[in-house]
Amino acid sequence: MSNCYTCGVLAGRHSAPGGTIYEDACWEVGHISDPVLLPGYLIIKLRRHCEHLADLTPEEAATLGPVVQRTCLALARILNPAKIYVCSFGEGVQHIHFHVIPSMAGMPAGSYAVFLWLWLRRSLHRIGIKKWVHDPAVAENIAAQLRHELC
Amino acid sequence: MSNCYTCGVLAGRHSAPGGTIYEDACWEVGHISDPVLLPGYLIIKLRRHCEHLADLTPEEAATLGPVVQRTCLALARILNPAKIYVCSFGEGVQHIHFHVIPSMAGMPAGSYAVFLWLWLRRSLHRIGIKKWVHDPAVAENIAAQLRHELC
């Protein structure tokens, strides 16, 4: 869909640091296309434009778990996070996607605190306070390692 | 594991309103075992005790997407929510599980606001303010309908 942000990422109209990390017939994995607030914060995107998990095809449903498991295993091997959150909201961007968020040392404890921490940093970035943005090269390096793990 | 809350639910030591809605070789679906703050707020639980999505077996991974898709489809047919959030955090209770949260009319707009809304109501309930707790019969009725859809 021409006005869908995720379709734009999949078509290469918007870029993510490190580019595509993994893709198969149904799913594509890459960094979130934000400024790099958390290296290793990935998005698993459905390649087809579809807005509700209820509407996944049998092939898309059968391949969802394996891509989640493999992505989490690759992140665990490379970043060794305490936990990895995997969440689908689909409100700001309606196209089905899963946020894959590694909970790293130095981050607040607990998923609610992590979401607030990310939201605050993103909001501050939007008003020009860019203190917590990482060099895209950090995400590109992680993406290269993840790509190697997932190949 | 004897000290795992989710293993306790699976073994019948803790109950959820409406009981088990669906189960297969790997996964079990039921209401969250809280007071009924949101009828239709379900938990998809891995039947085996395992703490990290990276450690799912191939069978568990292959069946995750289908149980998510079918659960969302059943919820959509019965409750017609605007959106369904599907999230795995695994911090308070380490055993792999997914929160399946229907975003209904009258709830705040946006996933962050919904999580805050649920957290506030749960916290108020814990200090004795039970104004927003639904009769378990409401959840039991929804569970019966979901069970019929998922059979």
Side-chain angles (χ1 to χ4, degrees):
Chain A
M1 259 172 70
S2 61
N3 61 345
C4 167
Y5 184 80
T6 297
C7 285
V9 175
L10 292 164
R13 292 195 295 276
H14 314 293
S15 63
T20 300
I21 290 169
Y22 169 82
E23 63 183 331
D24 59 27
C26 300
W27 302 94
E28 185 179 302
V29 182
H31 268 91
I32 191 167
S33 311
D34 260 350
V36 183
L37 297 169
L38 174 59
Y41 181 162
L42 308 180
I43 302 288
I44 299 175
K45 298 172 284 287
L46 183 66
R47 292 183 67 174
R48 174 176 72 94
H49 183 86
C50 175
E51 299 193 357
H52 300 284
L53 288 165
D55 298 331
L56 289 177
T57 67
E59 184 187 3
E60 290 162 350
T63 50
L64 170 59
V67 73
V68 167
Q69 184 270 331
R70 293 186 62 203
T71 300
C72 289
L73 181 59
L75 267 180
R77 283 180 176 161
I78 291 162
L79 296 181
N80 193 29
K83 204 79 202 179
I84 301 172
Y85 311 135
V86 175
C87 297
S88 172
F89 305 114
E91 286 187 322
V93 175
Q94 294 275 331
H95 185 132
I96 290 172
H97 61 284
F98 285 82
H99 297 253
V100 182
I101 304 174
S103 175
M104 305 299 299
M107 286 169 62
S111 51
Y112 285 21
V114 166
F115 278 92
L116 182 62
W117 181 88
L118 286 167
W119 176 82
L120 273 173
R121 291 188 171 205
R122 194 176 296 123
S123 301
L124 290 171
H125 180 269
R126 283 181 183 156
I127 61 168
I129 300 170
K130 303 190 176 184
K131 183 177 170 184
W132 293 285
V133 176
H134 294 259
D135 187 325
V138 178
E140 287 161 11
N141 177 266
I142 291 172
Q145 292 180 69
L146 288 166
R147 198 176 292 114
H148 186 259
E149 281 285 336
L150 283 162
C151 274
Chain B
M1 261 173 68
S2 62
N3 61 346
C4 167
Y5 184 81
T6 297
C7 284
V9 175
L10 292 164
R13 292 196 296 276
H14 315 292
S15 64
T20 300
I21 291 169
Y22 169 82
E23 63 183 331
D24 59 27
C26 300
W27 302 95
E28 184 179 303
V29 183
H31 267 90
I32 190 167
S33 310
D34 260 351
V36 183
L37 297 169
L38 173 60
Y41 182 160
L42 307 180
I43 301 287
I44 300 175
K45 298 172 283 287
L46 183 66
R47 292 183 68 176
R48 175 177 71 95
H49 183 86
C50 175
E51 300 192 356
H52 299 284
L53 288 165
D55 298 330
L56 289 176
T57 67
E59 185 187 4
E60 289 162 351
T63 51
L64 170 60
V67 73
V68 167
Q69 184 270 330
R70 293 185 63 203
T71 301
C72 289
L73 182 59
L75 267 180
R77 283 180 176 160
I78 291 162
L79 295 181
N80 193 29
K83 203 79 203 181
I84 302 172
Y85 311 135
V86 175
C87 298
S88 171
F89 304 114
E91 284 186 323
V93 176
Q94 294 275 332
H95 184 130
I96 289 173
H97 61 285
F98 284 83
H99 298 253
V100 182
I101 305 174
S103 175
M104 305 299 298
M107 285 170 61
S111 50
Y112 285 21
V114 166
F115 278 91
L116 182 62
W117 181 88
L118 287 166
W119 176 82
L120 274 173
R121 291 187 172 205
R122 194 176 297 122
S123 301
L124 290 170
H125 181 268
R126 282 181 183 158
I127 61 168
I129 300 171
K130 305 191 175 184
K131 182 176 172 184
W132 292 286
V133 176
H134 294 258
D135 187 325
V138 178
E140 288 161 10
N141 178 266
I142 290 172
Q145 293 180 69
L146 287 166
R147 199 176 290 113
H148 185 259
E149 281 284 338
L150 283 162
C151 277

